[in-house]
Amino acid sequence: MPASGTFGSGQEYSEFVDLNQLGAVVTKGVSLTPWEGNPAPRIMETSSGMINAVGLQNPGIDKVIGEELPKLLTLYHKPILANI
């Protein structure tokens, strides 16, 4: 199963991989209310890599339950773990 935050909500990758070959899908982090994340700039290169301060941008739990999960359930038929 992919780590939270690395696989979006899962459905975005369905055209690249058969989701049902995964043991589970873990959603990206979601908060109770929508969150726009941190203002730009969110990413800064450094001499040894990068610093990321996106701030967990997400649509909120109601939209995830009402819109994203029903779409994912049409593609995926195994456990779905939500990172709330």
Side-chain angles (χ1 to χ4, degrees):
M1 67 186 192
S4 175
T6 64
F7 210 62
S9 297
Q11 64 195 9
E12 300 92 332
Y13 288 89
S14 65
E15 63 184 89
F16 305 109
V17 64
D18 177 4
L19 298 179
N20 290 292
Q21 293 201 12
L22 300 171
V25 166
V26 184
T27 68
K28 63 184 179 180
V30 62
S31 55
L32 293 176
T33 58
W35 175 249
E36 292 183 19
N38 293 326
R42 294 177 172 192
I43 298 175
M44 177 178 240
E45 289 187 47
T46 69
S47 60
S48 59
M50 71 173 201
I51 298 172
N52 170 340
V54 173
L56 294 177
Q57 177 181 343
N58 73 89
I61 192 67
D62 290 337
K63 187 169 183 176
V64 169
I65 290 171
E67 296 178 24
E68 293 183 7
L69 285 179
K71 290 177 187 175
L72 180 57
L73 288 169
T74 66
L75 303 168
Y76 186 69
H77 311 292
K78 292 185 181 180
I80 299 171
L81 305 171
N83 175 3
I84 302 172

